[in-house]
Amino acid sequence: MLQCNGIVLRTIKYGETSVISDIFTEEKGLLTFIGGSVRTARARMPFNLFQAMTVVDLVAYYKENHQGMHRLKELRAAEIYQSIPFDVRRGAVALFMAEVCRKCIHEGETNPELFAFIREYLLTLDRTSEPIANLHLHFLVHLGTHLGFQPEDRTENNTFLDLKEGAYVPQKPPGPHLDLEESRQFAFFQEIDVSACHQLKLSQKERKDLLLGLLRFYQLHVPGFEGVNTPEVLNMVLG
């Protein structure tokens, strides 16, 4: 039996009343669970708990080294969101984070530090009173640290971020890179806490261009990282 906290990354309907859910657990990493009879009026595990980026407390029938699905016994909310379910902008950011995490986190990788990192961002997204338009950019910059490809700090001599090498270089590289201003923006997010990420003023185009650069960065460094479906919706909603 497994009892721990988890973060729901993706859920699909299965059969008439069940679901299959990918949940990043604090103790065992990413696991796939089946939840039975959750789409009924009297479900013990309400369907709304299976929404992407819900932080849950779960109890499941778990077999070590089992590569298939594990059956959920109980599921409860570990964090009660105040804003994400009711604010379309915060909800869009949460969905974007979920999609990126699902593409970056692989089964069998236990990482409590990454779990705590994602949970912190979700609570900030839910509860901050500051603007959130830059939060997903800050998240991408710092998620790379936990995935092993965060560049060293930008210096006076090394000013362009070479996306393929994952390092700042003194001259514009021939391959994929961020331009001078985008590299400065990346470095700004590197140096500050998430609570201050709103302090960098970006136009809609600047925010969109930096996001595209960051997603290219991930494509170059995360095996199997394919196109993310949510950026256009995110850009439209955040404005």
Side-chain angles (χ1 to χ4, degrees):
M1 195 73 71
L2 173 67
Q3 181 173 0
C4 64
N5 284 154
I7 299 172
V8 179
L9 299 185
R10 181 178 64 179
T11 298
I12 59 174
K13 295 179 180 179
Y14 178 71
E16 293 185 2
T17 61
S18 300
V19 296
I20 295 173
S21 188
D22 295 329
I23 301 178
F24 181 45
T25 69
E26 188 171 18
E27 292 187 9
K28 300 294 183 180
L30 179 63
L31 297 173
T32 300
F33 296 93
I34 183 168
S37 300
V38 304
R39 292 156 48 213
T40 62
R42 298 183 178 181
R44 291 187 300 108
M45 298 181 288
F47 182 56
N48 67 306
L49 293 178
F50 291 89
Q51 302 304 308
M53 291 317 235
T54 303
V55 183
V56 296
D57 181 18
L58 64 87
V59 179
Y61 301 100
Y62 173 78
K63 293 182 180 180
E64 197 72 43
N65 300 321
H66 179 60
Q67 299 300 313
M69 291 184 288
H70 308 271
R71 181 168 290 276
L72 286 168
K73 181 183 179 184
E74 300 176 15
L75 195 72
R76 298 182 296 272
E79 299 286 354
I80 305 298
Y81 288 145
Q82 302 169 8
S83 303
I84 290 175
F86 315 107
D87 183 327
V88 65
R89 301 173 79 249
R90 294 175 200 258
V93 173
L95 287 175
F96 172 79
M97 292 168 58
E99 186 177 8
V100 169
C101 287
R102 185 62 189 84
K103 293 176 182 295
C104 293
I105 300 172
H106 304 288
E107 291 190 18
E109 298 178 358
T110 301
N111 193 333
E113 293 80 13
L114 176 58
F115 182 91
F117 166 82
I118 298 171
R119 187 173 186 161
E120 176 191 359
Y121 271 82
L122 287 170
L123 294 180
T124 299
L125 173 64
D126 184 63
R127 298 172 186 177
T128 184
S129 59
E130 302 291 353
I132 62 165
N134 291 341
L135 192 142
H136 63 297
L137 301 174
H138 192 277
F139 174 77
L140 286 178
V141 169
H142 288 269
L143 178 62
T145 301
H146 294 273
L147 301 177
F149 56 91
Q150 176 76 286
E152 295 184 3
D153 291 345
R154 187 170 182 254
T155 67
E156 184 177 348
N157 295 323
N158 295 316
T159 54
F160 289 90
L161 180 57
D162 186 321
L163 296 178
K164 185 175 181 180
E165 296 299 324
Y168 292 103
V169 295
Q171 296 180 341
K172 184 169 69 173
H177 64 277
L178 298 185
D179 65 25
L180 276 176
E181 184 59 24
E182 292 166 347
S183 298
R184 184 191 69 80
Q185 294 161 1
F186 188 105
F188 177 86
F189 288 133
Q190 266 187 288
E191 296 166 1
I192 63 165
D193 185 76
V194 61
S195 61
C197 69
H198 64 281
Q199 294 178 4
L200 182 61
K201 306 302 180 184
L202 298 173
S203 68
Q204 184 176 13
K205 183 180 186 306
E206 289 173 327
R207 192 174 292 114
K208 180 179 180 179
D209 289 346
L210 181 58
L211 176 58
L212 293 176
L214 287 169
L215 292 176
R216 178 60 175 152
F217 192 33
Y218 274 69
Q219 289 171 350
L220 291 167
H221 293 276
V222 178
F225 190 93
E226 300 174 354
V228 179
N229 297 320
T230 50
E232 289 300 325
V233 175
L234 191 63
N235 289 326
M236 179 179 66
V237 169
L238 292 177

